Amino acid sequence: MTIQARGVVWRAGGRPIIDEIALDVVEHEFLGIVGPNGSGKTSLMALMSGLRAPHAGTVALAGRSLRHFTRREIARRIAFVEQQAETAERITARQAVELGRTPHLSALSPWQAKDDDIVDTALAEVGMASFAGRRWHTLSGGERQRLHIARALAQQPEILFLDEPTNHLDIHHQLGLLDLVRSRRLTVVAALHDLNHAAMFCDRIAVLDQGRLVALGAPRDVLTETMLADVFRVDAAVEADGNGNCLVRYARPGTVKEKCLQ
């Protein structure tokens, strides 16, 4: 399923946070959204996932405006893993993941054995099956983050939005979870801070700066030394390999950067 933003604007405090963005997300692609803090990454994803309505412009799923979908219809198609998602409920890890099945349940479609299987699979995929009976408040930040992703997978969406999904995770779980969502037949949109993660896992990268889309394309085309200097204000060398992949190597402030390896 595709998702399109056309001339999207969102304001806060009288100033534009998202300013005239047009962006198409292709079915089954992994799109990374990068940019400095305050560039509008979270706000754009909230607009494109239907959590917020734009002040101007439109967002459409497969050509149909989100305004014409009910909340349940959107939730059956789109899952959103927030950066700072929390719950005050005294529930177990498994119950937190079971919440992902809510959009699919109704009086005519109660909980069934297949729902148990979906939850079991999601827990196993994020390495949390052995934690199923643990109470939420006893879990670490990283464990909770893995459960949020499991909840989103249990939702069985067609489009998955991830806002800084690797927060609180060690490097093993960062790479493992990005590889997991990459391997699923999903359309994935992820706000990422680590540009090397974006280069490794994303088909395309969208760069935001002060609420505007300033670059969009394959990682090797977007992650240039000029862009890193102009948008992120860092000195870095971008190394390219023979397979078209790239790696960003940052220079310590005040030092001469390394030359790009050929």
Side-chain angles (χ1 to χ4, degrees):
M1 176 172 284
T2 60
I3 187 164
Q4 307 88 27
R6 291 288 181 269
V8 171
V9 174
W10 190 74
R11 304 180 186 89
R15 69 181 185 90
I17 304 301
I18 297 298
D19 193 4
E20 292 283 346
I21 285 184
L23 176 65
D24 287 6
V25 183
V26 182
E27 186 171 24
H28 296 154
E29 81 167 323
F30 193 135
L31 175 71
I33 300 180
V34 304
N37 288 342
S39 60
K41 300 185 296 294
T42 296
S43 296
L44 178 61
M45 295 210 305
L47 293 166
M48 294 189 72
S49 63
L51 293 179
R52 290 177 181 163
H55 291 131
T58 60
V59 177
L61 273 178
R64 181 185 173 198
S65 173
L66 283 181
R67 293 192 298 269
H68 300 149
F69 288 85
T70 66
R71 291 304 310 167
R72 180 179 289 270
E73 287 174 334
I74 292 175
R76 286 175 175 171
R77 294 165 174 82
I78 295 176
F80 193 113
V81 178
E82 299 178 73
Q83 185 178 157
Q84 298 292 342
E86 262 309 338
T87 176
E89 301 293 332
R90 296 185 69 81
I91 59 177
T92 65
R94 182 184 178 82
Q95 288 169 332
V97 178
E98 288 175 351
L99 293 173
R101 300 303 301 153
T102 302
H104 302 280
L105 303 177
S106 68
L108 297 178
S109 182
W111 191 276
Q112 302 176 46
K114 69 174 184 179
D115 297 297
D116 282 318
D117 292 340
I118 290 168
V119 171
D120 288 340
T121 298
L123 282 165
E125 286 181 321
V126 301
M128 292 295 288
S130 62
F131 290 72
R134 288 270 302 274
R135 291 287 177 179
W136 182 266
H137 69 278
T138 69
L139 300 169
S140 70
E143 290 161 352
R144 293 180 186 183
Q145 186 71 352
R146 288 154 65 191
L147 289 171
H148 285 308
I149 293 172
R151 184 266 304 160
L153 294 176
Q155 198 171 325
Q156 293 191 312
E158 296 176 68
I159 301 175
L160 177 61
F161 283 86
L162 302 168
D163 190 6
E164 300 296 343
T166 56
N167 272 4
H168 310 297
L169 300 180
D170 58 51
I171 188 62
H172 170 75
H173 287 109
Q174 288 178 23
L175 296 174
L177 285 170
L178 289 172
D179 187 59
L180 170 63
V181 297
R182 167 83 189 184
S183 69
R184 302 288 291 259
R185 285 190 60 78
L186 292 169
T187 302
V188 179
V189 182
L192 299 169
H193 266 311
D194 191 316
L195 299 181
N196 284 314
H197 285 172
M200 186 182 301
F201 292 100
C202 296
D203 298 302
R204 292 190 301 158
I205 295 174
V207 183
L208 298 188
D209 189 23
Q210 299 183 53
R212 288 186 170 273
L213 180 64
V214 297
L216 175 66
R220 63 183 178 273
D221 298 325
V222 168
L223 297 177
T224 66
E225 295 174 10
T226 299
M227 186 279 290
L228 293 169
D230 291 346
V231 176
F232 291 90
R233 296 184 294 280
V234 295
D235 198 16
V238 180
E239 302 175 3
D241 65 20
N243 298 317
N245 301 314
C246 62
L247 174 69
V248 179
R249 291 191 181 277
Y250 302 100
R252 197 171 68 197
T255 66
V256 178
K257 73 180 180 184
E258 298 175 359
K259 295 295 184 183
C260 180
L261 298 182
Q262 301 300 320

